[in-house]
Amino acid sequence: MQGDSHCQPEMEFSTDDRRWMQQAIMIAHGGLGSVEPNPMVGCVLVKDGNQIAYGYHANFGGPHAERNAIHSAVQQGATDELRGCTAYVTLEPCCHHGKTPPCTDALLEVGVKRVVVAMTDPFPAVSGKGIEQLRKAGMRVDVGLEREAAESLNAAYLKRLRTQRPWVIAKWAMSLDGRIATSTGHSQWISGASSREKVHELRSRVDAILVGRGTAVADDPMLTARLPESAPRRTALRVVVDSQASISTESKLVQTASKFPTLVWASSEADESAIRNLRSFGCRVELSEYPDRASRLDDLLQFLVREYSATNVLVEGGGQLLGSLFDLRQIDECEVFIAPKLIGGSSAVSPISGLGIATIPDGPTCYDSAWSPCGDDIHFSCRLKWG
């Protein structure tokens, strides 16, 4: 991200300021998987060094963080304490009528004295206007505290606004020797039950799940989030990248297309009768006019943003699809499950095919890396920064 034009570099925030904003950022994570395509936002209300209330944006279409925090204060009988308090907000308060009224109005109505904002909102309807409105009303607004952490929190939202492409999460399970399938294509199951449960959690918070035709044929997956009934979830769009629209109508994906949204992304050369058959089962079939695979795939990413407002997309393989996305520099996050198994074989399948990089420095840099046990497996998570 470019420097925030509304930041005040000479402003020195106190230790308490930083502590309250860090808490707001932590609180904001509660909206993960529920607020998209909106950003995750947290708000903490403080007076005389004490927390009055807090809130976060919990559901798309529901009240924003500031209004939830104010409502919480009222519910606790702390209405009088709102006047003259400081609001710590991870993202610039909205100033337009969308699905909810402006948060700037709410802050002004209850008499908040100071607002500390981690970062401005690049969404065109806001983009500095919320800060300007508050300042014109006489409120003190300080911007830029914990900005990097706030940008990291909403990296997917920011990428979508900046590039019109979703945040792409690459997921795979592999053996200790880096194989996702044997030379015969057998892959079930490399990872253990705990890892597969983690994958269902991932599926429950994304907007779309992508596989290539090869994986759809080899594994015949459902690509649904199978979690306890009480667990919150999104119903992700299931996407098969299949240039010829030749996936079998007997596959689980096609057979359940009337129940779970399913998109087949094909080329303009796909057989018309195959397209009609898939549509008769409830699949949405869309044709990309681009002649080459890479352009069709980039076209798909833009289509998912344009048609579905997709913010997070999970790609479950196989190697060719992940390789194409890698070559496009469109993989933003990796979720890898490493199993204590060995496969061997020079023709066994690796996680990422495609062209790859020519030299090591040409590759992306991993950051925000984390390792954790997952049953007998190891779960490795990281984000990628492309040069």
Side-chain angles (χ1 to χ4, degrees), residues 170 172 178 180 318-320 322-324 326-327 331 334 349-354 356:
W172 68 86
I180 63 171
Q320 289 294 334
L322 287 173
S324 295
F326 183 86
D327 292 341
I331 295 179
C334 294
V349 185
S350 63
I352 298 178
S353 300

Side-chain angles (χ1 to χ4, degrees), residues 16 30 33 60 95 109-110 113 120 139 147 158 164 204-205 228 248 253 258 305 334 341 354:
D16 281 346
F60 177 70
C95 54
E109 286 166 7
V110 299
K113 182 179 180 181
T120 56
M139 189 179 293
R147 179 167 59 87
L158 296 174
Q164 298 304 305
S204 73
R205 64 173 178 84
S248 171
L253 287 167
S258 60
V305 169
C334 294
K341 295 180 173 71

Side-chain angles (χ1 to χ4, degrees), residues 43 45 52-56 62-79 82 85 103 106-107 109-110 112:
C43 175
L45 303 175
I52 302 170
Y54 67 86
Y56 65 92
H64 290 182
E66 298 92 326
R67 288 187 176 272
N68 278 333
I70 291 168
H71 178 72
S72 178
V74 172
Q75 291 293 100
Q76 296 173 49
T79 304
L82 290 171
C85 77
C103 290
L107 294 169
E109 286 166 7
V110 299
V112 171

Side-chain angles (χ1 to χ4, degrees), residues 302-381:
Q302 296 178 70
F303 176 85
L304 292 174
V305 169
R306 186 171 63 251
E307 292 290 314
Y308 293 93
S309 298
T311 302
N312 294 286
V313 168
L314 179 65
V315 184
E316 297 203 23
Q320 289 294 334
L321 178 57
L322 287 173
S324 295
L325 287 165
F326 183 86
D327 292 341
L328 285 169
R329 297 189 167 198
Q330 285 298 324
I331 295 179
D332 303 292
E333 180 179 333
C334 294
E335 300 292 341
V336 184
F337 299 87
I338 305 167
K341 295 180 173 71
L342 292 170
I343 291 177
S346 58
S347 58
V349 185
S350 63
I352 298 178
S353 300
L355 298 174
I357 57 174
T359 67
I360 299 300
D362 293 334
T365 301
C366 293
Y367 69 102
D368 284 352
S369 301
W371 298 86
S372 60
C374 200
D376 291 333
D377 305 332
I378 295 294
H379 176 208
F380 174 70
S381 176

Side-chain angles (χ1 to χ4, degrees), residues 23-43 54-65 68 90 153-154 156-157 160 201-202 204-207 232-234 311-312:
Q23 182 175 333
I25 290 170
M26 180 183 68
I27 290 166
H29 283 90
L32 179 63
S34 299
V35 301
E36 294 83 1
N38 282 356
M40 292 176 281
V41 183
C43 175
Y54 67 86
Y56 65 92
H57 185 27
N59 295 287
F60 177 70
H64 290 182
N68 278 333
T90 60
L153 168 72
N154 280 309
Y157 168 76
R160 195 191 78 230
E201 293 175 10
L202 283 169
S204 73
R205 64 173 178 84
V206 299
D207 302 297
R233 74 193 70 190
R234 300 174 78 86
T311 302
N312 294 286

